[in-house]
Short mmCIF file of all heavy atoms in Angstrom, two decimals:
data_model
loop_
_atom_site.label_atom_id
_atom_site.label_comp_id
_atom_site.label_asym_id
_atom_site.label_seq_id
_atom_site.Cartn_x
_atom_site.Cartn_y
_atom_site.Cartn_z
N LEU H 29 9.95 7.89 0.36
CA LEU H 29 8.78 8.15 -0.30
C LEU H 29 8.31 9.55 -0.12
O LEU H 29 7.90 10.24 -1.14
CB LEU H 29 7.63 7.18 0.20
CG LEU H 29 6.29 7.21 -0.58
CD1 LEU H 29 6.53 6.89 -2.01
CD2 LEU H 29 5.39 6.25 0.08
N PRO H 34 10.40 6.92 -4.80
CA PRO H 34 9.62 5.72 -4.54
C PRO H 34 10.40 4.42 -4.82
O PRO H 34 10.28 3.46 -4.23
CB PRO H 34 8.34 5.87 -5.39
CG PRO H 34 8.74 6.83 -6.46
CD PRO H 34 9.77 7.74 -5.84
N ARG H 35 11.25 4.50 -5.91
CA ARG H 35 12.03 3.29 -6.26
C ARG H 35 13.01 2.94 -5.11
O ARG H 35 13.24 1.78 -4.86
CB ARG H 35 12.74 3.51 -7.58
CG ARG H 35 11.78 3.68 -8.71
CD ARG H 35 12.55 3.78 -10.09
NE ARG H 35 11.72 4.28 -11.17
CZ ARG H 35 10.69 3.61 -11.77
NH1 ARG H 35 10.45 2.36 -11.38
NH2 ARG H 35 10.08 4.09 -12.75
N VAL H 38 10.97 1.31 -2.51
CA VAL H 38 10.62 -0.15 -2.78
C VAL H 38 11.80 -0.97 -2.53
O VAL H 38 11.64 -2.13 -1.96
CB VAL H 38 10.22 -0.21 -4.27
CG1 VAL H 38 10.17 -1.67 -4.77
CG2 VAL H 38 8.82 0.40 -4.49
N ARG H 60 2.12 2.02 -1.95
CA ARG H 60 2.12 3.46 -2.19
C ARG H 60 3.35 3.84 -2.98
O ARG H 60 3.24 4.65 -3.87
CB ARG H 60 2.13 4.19 -0.86
CG ARG H 60 0.81 4.09 -0.10
CD ARG H 60 0.85 4.87 1.25
NE ARG H 60 1.42 6.12 1.17
CZ ARG H 60 2.27 6.64 2.03
NH1 ARG H 60 2.58 6.01 3.24
NH2 ARG H 60 2.73 7.80 1.88
N ALA H 61 4.45 3.19 -2.69
CA ALA H 61 5.71 3.54 -3.42
C ALA H 61 5.62 3.05 -4.88
O ALA H 61 6.00 3.73 -5.83
CB ALA H 61 6.92 2.86 -2.75
N PHE H 62 5.00 1.81 -5.13
CA PHE H 62 4.79 1.42 -6.48
C PHE H 62 3.89 2.38 -7.20
O PHE H 62 4.10 2.68 -8.35
CB PHE H 62 4.14 0.01 -6.56
CG PHE H 62 5.14 -1.18 -6.28
CD1 PHE H 62 4.82 -2.23 -5.48
CD2 PHE H 62 6.30 -1.22 -7.01
CE1 PHE H 62 5.65 -3.27 -5.31
CE2 PHE H 62 7.21 -2.27 -6.85
CZ PHE H 62 6.88 -3.31 -5.97
N PHE H 63 2.86 2.85 -6.54
CA PHE H 63 1.92 3.76 -7.19
C PHE H 63 2.56 5.06 -7.52
O PHE H 63 2.46 5.53 -8.67
CB PHE H 63 0.71 4.04 -6.25
CG PHE H 63 -0.34 4.95 -6.85
CD1 PHE H 63 -1.28 4.48 -7.66
CD2 PHE H 63 -0.25 6.34 -6.56
CE1 PHE H 63 -2.25 5.31 -8.24
CE2 PHE H 63 -1.22 7.17 -7.18
CZ PHE H 63 -2.23 6.68 -7.93
N ALA H 64 3.45 5.55 -6.65
CA ALA H 64 4.11 6.80 -6.85
C ALA H 64 5.23 6.68 -8.06
O ALA H 64 5.44 7.61 -8.74
CB ALA H 64 4.86 7.31 -5.60
N ALA H 65 5.60 5.42 -8.25
CA ALA H 65 6.60 5.18 -9.28
C ALA H 65 5.88 4.79 -10.62
O ALA H 65 6.55 4.44 -11.55
CB ALA H 65 7.55 3.99 -8.94
N ALA H 66 4.56 4.89 -10.60
CA ALA H 66 3.76 4.52 -11.80
C ALA H 66 3.95 3.05 -12.13
O ALA H 66 3.73 2.68 -13.29
CB ALA H 66 4.02 5.43 -12.95
N GLN H 67 4.20 2.22 -11.17
CA GLN H 67 4.27 0.79 -11.36
C GLN H 67 2.88 0.19 -10.91
O GLN H 67 2.77 -0.24 -9.78
CB GLN H 67 5.40 0.14 -10.56
CG GLN H 67 6.78 0.64 -11.09
CD GLN H 67 7.91 -0.02 -10.31
OE1 GLN H 67 7.72 -0.87 -9.53
NE2 GLN H 67 9.12 0.47 -10.56
N LEU H 68 1.94 0.39 -11.80
CA LEU H 68 0.52 0.14 -11.38
C LEU H 68 0.16 -1.30 -11.00
O LEU H 68 -0.63 -1.53 -10.14
CB LEU H 68 -0.42 0.81 -12.42
CG LEU H 68 -0.20 2.27 -12.62
CD1 LEU H 68 -1.11 2.78 -13.60
CD2 LEU H 68 -0.35 3.14 -11.33
N ARG H 98 -6.07 5.02 -12.74
CA ARG H 98 -4.93 5.28 -13.61
C ARG H 98 -4.68 4.21 -14.65
O ARG H 98 -4.14 4.47 -15.72
CB ARG H 98 -3.63 5.39 -12.78
CG ARG H 98 -3.55 6.79 -12.06
CD ARG H 98 -2.38 6.95 -11.23
NE ARG H 98 -1.11 7.07 -12.00
CZ ARG H 98 0.12 7.20 -11.43
NH1 ARG H 98 0.22 7.21 -10.12
NH2 ARG H 98 1.17 7.29 -12.22
#
Side-chain angles (χ1 to χ4, degrees):
L29 188 56
R35 293 183 196 289
V38 167
R60 291 177 47 218
F62 279 136
F63 181 85
Q67 295 179 8
L68 301 179
R98 284 179 69 182

